[in-house]
Amino acid sequence: MPVFELTKHGQFLQLSRQNPELFASRRHFTLSDHTQVTLYGAGMIGFEPEQDSDKSIVLSSGIHGNETAPIEICDAMVQDILTGKLQVSQRVLFLFGNLAAMDIAERFIEENMNRLFSGAHSAPPGLCNDERKRALELENVVAEFFGQRQDRRYHYDLHTAIRGSKNDKFAVYPFLHGRPWKISQLQFLAACGVTTFLLSESPTTTFSYFSSRQFGADAFTVELGKVMPFGHNDMSRFAATDKTLRRFISHGQIDLGDFDPAQMDIFKIHQVINKTRDDFKLNFADDALNFTDFPPGYVLAEENGTKYQAEYPGEAIVFPNAKVALGQRALLTVIPTEIGQGWE
Ligand SMILES: [Zn+2]
Protein backbone atom coordinates (compact mmCIF):
# COMPACT_ATOMS: atom_id res chain seq x y z
CA MET A 1 0.00 0.00 0.00
CA PRO A 2 1.39 3.42 -0.87
CA VAL A 3 2.07 5.31 2.33
CA PHE A 4 1.18 8.44 0.39
CA GLU A 5 -2.47 7.46 0.44
CA LEU A 6 -2.46 7.16 4.21
CA THR A 7 -0.69 10.44 4.89
CA LYS A 8 -2.72 12.41 2.38
CA HIS A 9 -6.14 11.68 3.84
CA GLY A 10 -5.33 9.73 6.97
CA GLN A 11 -8.07 7.17 6.31
CA PHE A 12 -6.40 4.35 8.19
CA LEU A 13 -9.62 2.97 9.66
CA GLN A 14 -11.51 3.18 6.39
CA LEU A 15 -8.75 1.32 4.53
CA SER A 16 -8.50 -1.22 7.35
CA ARG A 17 -12.21 -1.97 7.04
CA GLN A 18 -12.36 -2.00 3.24
CA ASN A 19 -9.03 -3.60 2.42
CA PRO A 20 -7.65 -5.36 5.50
CA GLU A 21 -5.29 -7.35 3.26
CA LEU A 22 -3.35 -4.12 2.63
CA PHE A 23 -2.13 -4.42 6.21
CA ALA A 24 -1.27 -8.11 6.15
CA SER A 25 2.43 -7.46 6.58
CA ARG A 26 3.95 -5.03 9.01
CA ARG A 27 5.15 -1.64 7.71
CA HIS A 28 7.08 1.25 9.21
CA PHE A 29 7.43 4.79 7.94
CA THR A 30 8.26 8.23 9.26
CA LEU A 31 6.07 11.33 9.38
CA SER A 32 7.93 14.57 8.69
CA ASP A 33 11.08 13.41 10.49
CA HIS A 34 9.39 13.57 13.89
CA THR A 35 7.13 10.52 14.26
CA GLN A 36 7.70 6.84 13.56
CA VAL A 37 4.59 5.02 12.40
CA THR A 38 4.13 1.27 12.72
CA LEU A 39 1.32 -0.45 10.86
CA TYR A 40 0.86 -3.52 13.05
CA GLY A 41 -2.08 -4.79 11.03
CA ALA A 42 -5.62 -3.86 10.02
CA GLY A 43 -7.02 -1.52 12.66
CA MET A 44 -3.75 -1.43 14.63
CA ILE A 45 -1.42 1.56 14.26
CA GLY A 46 1.32 2.90 16.52
CA PHE A 47 3.03 6.30 16.67
CA GLU A 48 6.34 7.02 18.34
CA PRO A 49 7.94 10.45 18.61
CA GLU A 50 11.61 10.79 17.67
CA GLN A 51 12.16 12.87 20.80
CA ASP A 52 12.33 11.20 24.22
CA SER A 53 9.01 10.29 25.76
CA ASP A 54 8.16 8.68 29.07
CA LYS A 55 4.71 7.26 28.42
CA SER A 56 3.25 4.44 26.35
CA ILE A 57 -0.47 4.96 25.80
CA VAL A 58 -2.95 2.49 24.31
CA LEU A 59 -6.28 3.83 23.09
CA SER A 60 -8.63 1.06 22.00
CA SER A 61 -12.12 1.37 20.56
CA GLY A 62 -14.58 -0.81 18.71
CA ILE A 63 -13.95 -3.89 20.83
CA HIS A 64 -17.74 -3.87 20.40
CA GLY A 65 -18.38 -3.07 16.75
CA ASN A 66 -21.49 -0.90 17.19
CA GLU A 67 -20.01 1.42 19.82
CA THR A 68 -19.38 4.15 17.33
CA ALA A 69 -18.57 7.33 19.26
CA PRO A 70 -15.18 6.18 20.58
CA ILE A 71 -14.35 4.73 17.14
CA GLU A 72 -15.09 8.11 15.56
CA ILE A 73 -13.04 9.95 18.19
CA CYS A 74 -10.01 7.68 17.68
CA ASP A 75 -10.40 7.60 13.89
CA ALA A 76 -10.30 11.42 13.84
CA MET A 77 -7.21 11.48 16.07
CA VAL A 78 -5.40 8.98 13.82
CA GLN A 79 -6.37 11.01 10.75
CA ASP A 80 -5.07 14.20 12.32
CA ILE A 81 -1.77 12.57 13.28
CA LEU A 82 -1.26 11.03 9.83
CA THR A 83 -2.05 14.29 8.07
CA GLY A 84 0.14 16.38 10.37
CA LYS A 85 -2.57 18.29 12.25
CA LEU A 86 -1.73 16.62 15.55
CA GLN A 87 1.75 15.66 16.71
CA VAL A 88 2.33 13.09 19.42
CA SER A 89 4.90 13.63 22.16
CA GLN A 90 4.33 10.17 23.64
CA ARG A 91 4.18 6.66 22.23
CA VAL A 92 0.57 5.90 21.29
CA LEU A 93 -1.03 2.72 20.00
CA PHE A 94 -4.51 2.91 18.48
CA LEU A 95 -6.45 -0.32 18.29
CA PHE A 96 -9.77 -0.63 16.46
CA GLY A 97 -11.07 -3.92 17.76
CA ASN A 98 -13.85 -5.64 15.86
CA LEU A 99 -13.72 -4.39 12.26
CA ALA A 100 -16.11 -7.03 10.93
CA ALA A 101 -18.74 -6.22 13.56
CA MET A 102 -18.46 -2.51 12.66
CA ASP A 103 -19.47 -3.39 9.10
CA ILE A 104 -22.72 -4.98 10.22
CA ALA A 105 -23.28 -2.45 13.06
CA GLU A 106 -23.39 -5.15 15.70
CA ARG A 107 -21.75 -5.55 19.08
CA PHE A 108 -20.06 -8.74 17.86
CA ILE A 109 -20.44 -11.47 15.28
CA GLU A 110 -20.08 -14.68 17.26
CA GLU A 111 -18.78 -13.83 20.69
CA ASN A 112 -18.43 -10.83 22.99
CA MET A 113 -14.78 -9.91 22.51
CA ASN A 114 -14.50 -8.17 25.88
CA ARG A 115 -14.80 -11.57 27.58
CA LEU A 116 -11.92 -13.07 25.62
CA PHE A 117 -8.76 -11.49 27.01
CA SER A 118 -6.15 -12.76 29.48
CA GLY A 119 -6.02 -15.98 27.52
CA ALA A 120 -9.79 -16.68 27.49
CA HIS A 121 -9.58 -16.68 23.67
CA SER A 122 -7.69 -19.97 23.80
CA ALA A 123 -9.72 -21.68 26.52
CA PRO A 124 -11.93 -24.49 25.18
CA PRO A 125 -13.19 -24.55 22.46
CA GLY A 126 -10.05 -22.66 21.42
CA LEU A 127 -9.42 -20.16 18.62
CA CYS A 128 -12.58 -21.19 16.79
CA ASN A 129 -13.93 -17.81 15.64
CA ASP A 130 -12.69 -14.45 14.42
CA GLU A 131 -13.30 -12.69 17.74
CA ARG A 132 -11.09 -15.16 19.57
CA LYS A 133 -8.34 -14.82 16.97
CA ARG A 134 -8.58 -11.04 17.10
CA ALA A 135 -8.40 -10.95 20.90
CA LEU A 136 -5.16 -12.94 20.75
CA GLU A 137 -3.81 -10.65 18.03
CA LEU A 138 -4.66 -7.54 20.06
CA GLU A 139 -2.97 -9.01 23.14
CA ASN A 140 0.18 -9.73 21.17
CA VAL A 141 0.34 -6.21 19.75
CA VAL A 142 -0.20 -4.66 23.19
CA ALA A 143 2.58 -6.88 24.58
CA GLU A 144 4.93 -5.84 21.79
CA PHE A 145 4.04 -2.16 22.16
CA PHE A 146 4.61 -2.05 25.91
CA GLY A 147 7.62 -4.33 25.47
CA GLN A 148 10.54 -4.09 27.84
CA ARG A 149 10.42 -0.33 28.18
CA GLN A 150 10.42 1.16 31.65
CA ASP A 151 8.05 4.01 30.90
CA ARG A 152 4.59 4.63 32.35
CA ARG A 153 1.88 2.57 30.72
CA TYR A 154 -1.72 3.52 30.13
CA HIS A 155 -4.61 1.81 28.42
CA TYR A 156 -8.02 3.43 27.98
CA ASP A 157 -10.43 0.97 26.38
CA LEU A 158 -13.24 3.16 25.09
CA HIS A 159 -16.82 1.94 24.88
CA THR A 160 -20.39 3.14 24.87
CA ALA A 161 -23.08 1.35 26.86
CA ILE A 162 -26.10 -0.46 25.42
CA ARG A 163 -28.45 1.52 27.61
CA GLY A 164 -28.55 5.03 28.94
CA SER A 165 -27.05 5.76 32.32
CA LYS A 166 -28.00 7.99 35.21
CA ASN A 167 -24.30 8.76 35.22
CA ASP A 168 -23.75 9.35 31.52
CA LYS A 169 -20.08 8.45 31.49
CA PHE A 170 -18.41 5.98 33.77
CA ALA A 171 -15.28 3.90 34.00
CA VAL A 172 -14.57 0.43 35.32
CA TYR A 173 -11.33 0.25 37.31
CA PRO A 174 -10.01 -3.32 36.97
CA PHE A 175 -9.12 -5.43 40.01
CA LEU A 176 -5.57 -4.48 41.02
CA HIS A 177 -4.63 -7.48 43.16
CA GLY A 178 -3.66 -5.21 46.05
CA ARG A 179 -1.89 -2.49 44.07
CA PRO A 180 -3.23 0.92 45.13
CA TRP A 181 -6.03 2.63 43.25
CA LYS A 182 -4.83 6.00 41.94
CA ILE A 183 -6.60 9.26 42.68
CA SER A 184 -4.62 10.90 39.85
CA GLN A 185 -6.30 8.52 37.39
CA LEU A 186 -9.74 9.55 38.66
CA GLN A 187 -8.69 13.15 38.10
CA PHE A 188 -7.50 12.38 34.60
CA LEU A 189 -10.77 10.67 33.76
CA ALA A 190 -12.73 13.50 35.37
CA ALA A 191 -11.01 15.80 32.89
CA CYS A 192 -12.39 13.46 30.21
CA GLY A 193 -15.88 14.04 31.64
CA VAL A 194 -15.97 10.74 33.53
CA THR A 195 -16.85 11.14 37.20
CA THR A 196 -18.45 7.80 38.03
CA PHE A 197 -16.21 4.85 38.81
CA LEU A 198 -16.80 1.23 39.36
CA LEU A 199 -14.12 -0.63 41.30
CA SER A 200 -13.80 -4.21 40.19
CA GLU A 201 -12.86 -6.63 42.93
CA SER A 202 -12.07 -9.78 41.02
CA PRO A 203 -10.13 -10.88 37.93
CA THR A 204 -12.02 -10.66 34.63
CA THR A 205 -11.37 -11.31 30.96
CA THR A 206 -11.75 -7.71 29.79
CA PHE A 207 -9.14 -5.91 27.71
CA SER A 208 -8.42 -3.31 30.38
CA TYR A 209 -7.87 -5.97 33.05
CA PHE A 210 -5.40 -7.67 30.70
CA SER A 211 -3.23 -4.55 30.36
CA SER A 212 -3.52 -3.75 34.04
CA ARG A 213 -2.62 -7.25 35.19
CA GLN A 214 0.01 -8.20 32.60
CA PHE A 215 1.77 -4.87 32.20
CA GLY A 216 0.92 -2.83 35.31
CA ALA A 217 -0.75 -0.24 33.08
CA ASP A 218 -3.17 2.30 34.45
CA ALA A 219 -6.05 0.77 32.54
CA PHE A 220 -9.79 1.37 32.43
CA THR A 221 -12.87 0.33 30.56
CA VAL A 222 -14.39 3.73 29.83
CA GLU A 223 -18.09 3.99 28.96
CA LEU A 224 -18.72 7.28 27.19
CA GLY A 225 -22.51 7.30 26.77
CA LYS A 226 -25.12 5.41 24.85
CA VAL A 227 -24.67 3.38 21.67
CA MET A 228 -25.69 5.26 18.50
CA PRO A 229 -25.20 4.41 14.79
CA PHE A 230 -22.16 5.83 12.96
CA GLY A 231 -22.70 9.50 12.19
CA HIS A 232 -25.52 9.88 14.75
CA ASN A 233 -23.42 10.83 17.73
CA ASP A 234 -23.71 14.30 19.17
CA MET A 235 -19.96 14.81 19.25
CA SER A 236 -20.26 17.83 21.56
CA ARG A 237 -21.03 15.32 24.32
CA PHE A 238 -17.58 13.85 23.85
CA ALA A 239 -15.69 17.14 23.57
CA ALA A 240 -14.03 16.90 26.99
CA THR A 241 -12.90 13.33 26.34
CA ASP A 242 -11.57 14.18 22.90
CA LYS A 243 -9.77 17.31 24.06
CA THR A 244 -8.19 15.63 27.09
CA LEU A 245 -6.97 12.58 25.17
CA ARG A 246 -5.52 14.78 22.42
CA ARG A 247 -3.74 16.89 24.97
CA PHE A 248 -2.43 13.81 26.77
CA ILE A 249 -0.87 12.26 23.67
CA SER A 250 0.46 15.56 22.32
CA HIS A 251 1.74 17.09 25.60
CA GLY A 252 2.19 14.05 27.83
CA GLN A 253 0.25 15.59 30.68
CA ILE A 254 -2.81 17.59 31.44
CA ASP A 255 -3.73 20.05 34.15
CA LEU A 256 -5.60 17.92 36.67
CA GLY A 257 -6.74 20.75 38.94
CA ASP A 258 -7.60 20.16 42.59
CA PHE A 259 -9.04 16.86 43.65
CA ASP A 260 -12.66 17.16 44.76
CA PRO A 261 -14.06 13.85 46.00
CA ALA A 262 -17.53 15.42 46.12
CA GLN A 263 -17.50 15.44 42.30
CA MET A 264 -16.99 11.70 42.09
CA ASP A 265 -19.40 8.82 42.49
CA ILE A 266 -17.47 5.69 43.35
CA PHE A 267 -19.09 2.28 43.51
CA LYS A 268 -17.87 -1.19 44.19
CA ILE A 269 -19.36 -4.32 42.77
CA HIS A 270 -21.64 -6.09 45.19
CA GLN A 271 -23.36 -8.88 43.25
CA VAL A 272 -22.47 -10.57 39.99
CA ILE A 273 -25.62 -12.28 38.74
CA ASN A 274 -25.16 -14.88 36.03
CA LYS A 275 -27.88 -16.27 33.84
CA THR A 276 -28.02 -20.01 34.40
CA ARG A 277 -31.48 -20.85 33.07
CA ASP A 278 -33.41 -20.02 29.93
CA ASP A 279 -36.25 -18.47 31.93
CA PHE A 280 -33.95 -15.82 33.43
CA LYS A 281 -35.72 -12.49 33.58
CA LEU A 282 -34.94 -9.03 34.84
CA ASN A 283 -37.55 -7.45 37.06
CA PHE A 284 -37.32 -3.83 35.93
CA ALA A 285 -38.07 -1.85 32.79
CA ASP A 286 -36.11 -2.67 29.64
CA ASP A 287 -34.98 0.94 29.44
CA ALA A 288 -33.98 1.27 33.11
CA LEU A 289 -30.82 3.36 33.25
CA ASN A 290 -27.48 2.05 34.45
CA PHE A 291 -26.93 3.12 38.10
CA THR A 292 -30.65 3.11 38.92
CA ASP A 293 -30.90 2.05 42.56
CA PHE A 294 -33.47 -0.21 44.19
CA PRO A 295 -34.44 -0.62 47.85
CA PRO A 296 -33.20 -3.60 49.89
CA GLY A 297 -35.45 -6.60 49.31
CA TYR A 298 -36.43 -5.58 45.79
CA VAL A 299 -36.30 -8.61 43.47
CA LEU A 300 -33.99 -7.56 40.65
CA ALA A 301 -34.03 -10.78 38.66
CA GLU A 302 -35.33 -14.30 38.87
CA GLU A 303 -34.96 -17.65 37.17
CA ASN A 304 -36.48 -21.04 37.86
CA GLY A 305 -37.50 -20.20 41.41
CA THR A 306 -34.29 -18.33 42.35
CA LYS A 307 -34.79 -14.69 43.27
CA TYR A 308 -31.95 -12.15 43.22
CA GLN A 309 -32.65 -9.26 45.57
CA ALA A 310 -31.12 -5.90 46.31
CA GLU A 311 -29.46 -6.12 49.71
CA TYR A 312 -28.05 -2.67 50.55
CA PRO A 313 -29.44 0.87 50.57
CA GLY A 314 -28.30 2.56 47.36
CA GLU A 315 -27.63 -0.75 45.60
CA ALA A 316 -27.81 -0.01 41.86
CA ILE A 317 -27.88 -1.98 38.64
CA VAL A 318 -25.20 -1.88 35.94
CA PHE A 319 -24.95 -3.68 32.57
CA PRO A 320 -28.22 -5.60 32.78
CA ASN A 321 -28.65 -7.88 29.77
CA ALA A 322 -31.04 -10.84 29.97
CA LYS A 323 -30.05 -11.92 26.45
CA VAL A 324 -26.56 -13.15 27.33
CA ALA A 325 -25.63 -16.79 26.79
CA LEU A 326 -26.22 -19.25 29.64
CA GLY A 327 -23.48 -19.02 32.24
CA GLN A 328 -22.65 -15.41 31.38
CA ARG A 329 -23.14 -12.33 33.48
CA ALA A 330 -26.62 -10.86 33.10
CA LEU A 331 -26.45 -8.16 35.76
CA LEU A 332 -24.06 -6.44 38.13
CA THR A 333 -25.13 -4.65 41.24
CA VAL A 334 -23.01 -1.95 42.80
CA ILE A 335 -23.01 -0.10 46.11
CA PRO A 336 -21.53 3.30 46.90
CA THR A 337 -18.05 3.38 48.40
CA GLU A 338 -15.46 6.03 49.23
CA ILE A 339 -11.80 6.75 48.71
CA GLY A 340 -9.89 5.55 51.74
CA GLN A 341 -7.49 2.75 52.48
CA GLY A 342 -5.92 1.25 49.38
CA TRP A 343 -5.74 4.56 47.50
CA GLU A 344 -2.75 6.74 46.70
ZN1 LIG B 1 -18.56 -2.07 24.82
Side-chain angles (χ1 to χ4, degrees), residues 62-67 107 112 114 157-162 221-223 227 319:
I63 294 300
H64 295 132
N66 62 346
E67 297 179 358
R107 187 170 167 80
N112 178 357
N114 213 19
D157 183 35
L158 307 175
H159 290 250
T160 51
I162 298 171
T221 306
V222 186
E223 301 281 353
V227 165
F319 300 131

Coordinates of all heavy atoms in Angstrom, one line a residue, residues 62-67 107 112 114 157-162 221-223 227 319, ligand 1:
G62 N -14.0 0.2 19.6 CA -14.6 -0.8 18.7 C -14.4 -2.3 19.1 O -14.5 -3.2 18.3
I63 N -14.0 -2.5 20.4 CA -14.0 -3.9 20.8 C -15.4 -4.5 20.7 O -15.6 -5.6 20.4 CB -13.5 -3.9 22.3 CG1 -12.0 -3.5 22.4 CG2 -13.7 -5.3 22.9 CD1 -11.0 -4.3 21.6
H64 N -16.4 -3.6 20.8 CA -17.7 -3.9 20.4 C -18.0 -3.0 19.2 O -17.9 -1.8 19.2 CB -18.7 -3.5 21.5 CG -18.5 -4.4 22.7 ND1 -18.5 -3.9 24.0 CD2 -18.4 -5.7 22.8 CE1 -18.3 -4.9 24.9 NE2 -18.2 -6.0 24.2
G65 N -18.4 -3.7 18.1 CA -18.4 -3.1 16.8 C -19.4 -1.9 16.6 O -19.2 -1.1 15.7
N66 N -20.5 -1.9 17.4 CA -21.5 -0.9 17.2 C -21.3 0.3 18.1 O -22.2 1.2 18.2 CB -22.9 -1.5 17.4 CG -23.1 -2.1 18.8 OD1 -22.1 -2.2 19.5 ND2 -24.3 -2.3 19.1
E67 N -20.2 0.3 18.9 CA -20.0 1.4 19.8 C -19.2 2.5 19.1 O -18.0 2.6 19.2 CB -19.3 0.9 21.1 CG -20.3 -0.1 21.7 CD -19.7 -0.8 23.0 OE1 -18.6 -0.4 23.4 OE2 -20.4 -1.6 23.6
R107 N -22.7 -5.5 18.0 CA -21.8 -5.6 19.1 C -20.6 -6.6 18.8 O -19.5 -6.3 19.0 CB -22.6 -6.0 20.3 CG -21.9 -6.0 21.6 CD -23.0 -6.2 22.7 NE -22.5 -6.5 24.0 CZ -22.0 -5.6 24.8 NH1 -21.9 -4.3 24.5 NH2 -21.6 -6.0 26.0
N112 N -18.8 -12.1 22.4 CA -18.4 -10.8 23.0 C -16.9 -10.8 23.2 O -16.4 -11.5 24.1 CB -19.2 -10.7 24.3 CG -18.9 -9.4 25.1 OD1 -18.0 -8.6 24.6 ND2 -19.5 -9.3 26.2
N114 N -15.0 -8.7 24.6 CA -14.5 -8.2 25.9 C -14.7 -9.2 27.0 O -14.6 -8.8 28.2 CB -15.1 -6.8 26.3 CG -14.2 -6.0 27.0 OD1 -12.9 -6.2 27.0 ND2 -14.7 -5.0 27.8
D157 N -9.6 1.8 27.3 CA -10.4 1.0 26.4 C -11.8 1.6 26.3 O -12.6 1.6 27.3 CB -10.5 -0.5 26.9 CG -11.3 -1.4 25.9 OD1 -11.2 -1.1 24.7 OD2 -12.0 -2.3 26.3
L158 N -12.1 2.2 25.2 CA -13.2 3.2 25.1 C -14.5 2.4 24.5 O -14.4 1.8 23.5 CB -12.9 4.3 24.2 CG -11.6 5.1 24.6 CD1 -11.2 6.2 23.6 CD2 -11.7 5.7 26.0
H159 N -15.6 2.6 25.2 CA -16.8 1.9 24.9 C -18.0 2.9 25.0 O -17.8 4.0 25.5 CB -17.1 0.8 25.9 CG -16.2 -0.4 25.8 ND1 -16.6 -1.6 25.3 CD2 -14.9 -0.5 26.0 CE1 -15.6 -2.4 25.3 NE2 -14.5 -1.8 25.7
T160 N -19.1 2.5 24.5 CA -20.4 3.1 24.9 C -21.3 2.0 25.3 O -21.2 0.9 24.9 CB -21.0 3.9 23.7 OG1 -21.1 3.1 22.6 CG2 -20.2 5.1 23.3
A161 N -22.2 2.4 26.2 CA -23.1 1.3 26.9 C -24.3 1.1 26.0 O -24.7 1.9 25.2 CB -23.5 1.8 28.3
I162 N -24.9 -0.1 26.2 CA -26.1 -0.5 25.4 C -27.3 0.4 25.8 O -28.1 0.9 25.0 CB -26.5 -1.9 25.7 CG1 -25.4 -2.9 25.2 CG2 -27.8 -2.3 25.0 CD1 -25.6 -4.3 25.6
T221 N -11.8 0.4 31.5 CA -12.9 0.3 30.6 C -13.7 1.6 30.7 O -14.2 1.8 31.8 CB -13.8 -0.9 30.8 OG1 -13.0 -2.1 30.9 CG2 -14.8 -1.0 29.7
V222 N -13.7 2.4 29.7 CA -14.4 3.7 29.8 C -15.7 3.7 29.0 O -15.6 3.5 27.8 CB -13.5 4.9 29.4 CG1 -14.1 6.2 29.7 CG2 -12.1 4.8 30.0
E223 N -16.8 4.0 29.6 CA -18.1 4.0 29.0 C -18.5 5.5 28.8 O -18.7 6.2 29.7 CB -19.2 3.3 29.8 CG -18.8 1.8 30.1 CD -19.2 0.9 29.0 OE1 -19.7 1.3 28.0 OE2 -18.8 -0.3 29.1
V227 N -24.9 3.8 23.0 CA -24.7 3.4 21.7 C -25.6 4.1 20.7 O -26.8 4.2 20.9 CB -25.0 1.9 21.6 CG1 -25.1 1.4 20.1 CG2 -23.9 1.0 22.3
F319 N -25.1 -2.7 33.7 CA -24.9 -3.7 32.6 C -26.0 -4.8 32.6 O -25.6 -6.0 32.4 CB -23.6 -4.3 32.6 CG -22.4 -3.4 32.5 CD1 -21.3 -3.4 33.3 CD2 -22.4 -2.4 31.4 CE1 -20.2 -2.6 33.2 CE2 -21.3 -1.6 31.3 CZ -20.2 -1.7 32.2
Ligands
ZN1 ZN -18.6 -2.1 24.8

